[in-house]
Amino acid sequence: MSASPAAAAGNACAEVSVNGQVIPEAAIAAEAELHDDSADPRGAAAAALVLRRLIVDRARSRGLLTRDELEPGDADLDDALDALLALEAAVPEPTEEELRRFHAQNRALFRIGERVHAAHVLFEVRGVRFAEALRERAEAVLERCRREPDYFATAARELSNCPSGARGGDLGWLARGESVPEFERVLFAGAETGLWPRPIATRFGWHLLCLIERDPGHPLPFESARARVAAYVKSRSRRKAGVQYLQRLAAEASVRGVDLSAAPGWLMQ
């Protein structure tokens, strides 16, 4: 079972292991770069690595996976968890009444034509050991953009590792599903426009984001949105079942040196 928060706080660098397998401190340090926005990056990183190890070991034991080391964005990891849930956990199918109720309570989620005009500067991370230095560079450039709003386009042309840099970072209009999930969550997080207040971490690296304009589109009636509503509700049920399933795996395992309440974001997607 997991260490208590008090114990983890009292010994922040305690050796982390799961079922006798030690998670190397170097791996935790590298993973922590992906959890920089967490209150405890090392703790979140250790929790992510332990939970990933639990999924991989269980999937391999059930013959669902042949590979060993997987990354958070690896499709095989998500597929392995889905297969385990199908075999070992119940993910209930929503009823028609539940779908209609969810649509009525969340009409803003089901719109057609919603899009965002955005620009970005990409600091591509080609190796984990450079991630921290690139984050610091991104923050320095962001601070200059705050002081000099016109500098954003110049920074994109001079520094961005994306072809959009030639256009001052302009990505054009983006609809849902046209960018990676970790970037899209920020694009459609609210109604504001302007410079995003912090660098955004994705599988490609660090992004500075400028939200230029929004088009809210218009809401879909239930009959037109039904498939999207069902997919959304099923995804929520899958997340809940996944969290409960991993809590069960963790309770059955011998986990030391980490507080698993610092659940990693990729499990909640």
Side-chain angles (χ1 to χ4, degrees):
M1 54 176 47
S2 64
S4 70
N11 192 5
C13 292
E15 184 178 78
V16 177
S17 67
V18 52
N19 292 330
Q21 301 176 75
V22 175
I23 306 294
E25 191 61 35
I28 296 173
E31 177 75 17
E33 302 290 352
L34 304 177
H35 302 269
D36 188 65
D37 57 349
S38 169
D40 177 11
R42 183 188 181 278
L49 291 171
V50 166
L51 292 177
R52 199 178 306 153
R53 173 51 51 195
L54 288 171
I55 295 171
V56 170
D57 287 352
R58 186 67 158 223
R60 283 166 62 86
S61 75
R62 296 297 302 263
L64 300 171
L65 196 62
T66 56
R67 295 170 59 199
D68 187 38
E69 296 297 332
L70 302 179
E71 297 297 324
D74 195 318
D76 285 351
L77 184 65
D78 205 49
D79 290 345
L81 181 54
D82 279 335
L84 286 169
L85 291 177
L87 285 174
E88 301 182 350
V91 181
E93 286 289 321
T95 65
E96 188 74 8
E97 180 184 352
E98 288 171 335
L99 295 179
R100 289 184 177 276
R101 183 168 61 249
F102 187 84
H103 175 264
Q105 294 171 348
N106 299 275
R107 293 183 188 275
L109 292 175
F110 306 104
R111 309 181 70 87
I112 189 169
E114 184 184 13
R115 56 187 188 154
V116 178
H117 184 193
H120 81 148
V121 182
L122 170 62
F123 297 85
E124 184 181 10
V125 176
R126 296 191 176 99
V128 172
R129 63 194 178 104
F130 300 117
E132 178 61 19
L134 284 171
R135 181 186 65 80
E136 292 176 356
R137 188 180 190 192
E139 288 181 341
V141 174
L142 177 61
E143 182 57 34
R144 182 171 176 181
C145 290
R146 290 192 186 103
R147 298 194 308 267
E148 307 170 36
D150 292 341
Y151 179 65
F152 189 95
T154 302
R157 284 191 293 269
E158 295 179 352
L159 303 173
S160 184
N161 298 117
C162 177
S164 65
R167 304 186 298 275
D170 196 335
L171 293 167
W173 287 94
L174 298 171
R176 291 185 183 272
E178 293 184 345
S179 56
V180 294
E182 57 268 36
F183 193 70
E184 183 171 294
R185 278 195 297 275
V186 178
L187 286 176
F188 295 96
E192 66 280 346
T193 57
L195 188 65
W196 193 255
R198 57 188 174 275
I200 301 162
T202 74
R203 65 198 68 182
F204 300 113
W206 298 98
H207 305 251
L208 304 185
L209 173 65
C210 182
L211 299 163
I212 301 168
E213 189 178 359
R214 291 183 180 275
D215 179 355
H218 61 272
L220 286 169
F222 175 77
E223 288 71 21
S224 300
R226 190 187 184 287
R228 287 174 57 184
V229 175
Y232 202 98
V233 173
K234 288 177 182 178
S235 176
R236 284 163 57 99
S237 296
R238 185 262 190 194
R239 288 200 304 273
K240 182 178 180 180
V243 170
Q244 292 173 341
Y245 177 72
L246 286 175
Q247 287 173 339
R248 192 179 85 197
L249 286 187
E252 295 171 354
S254 174
V255 178
R256 300 184 181 279
V258 62
D259 173 21
L260 289 183
S261 65
W266 57 268
L267 273 177
M268 308 307 291
Q269 295 169 4

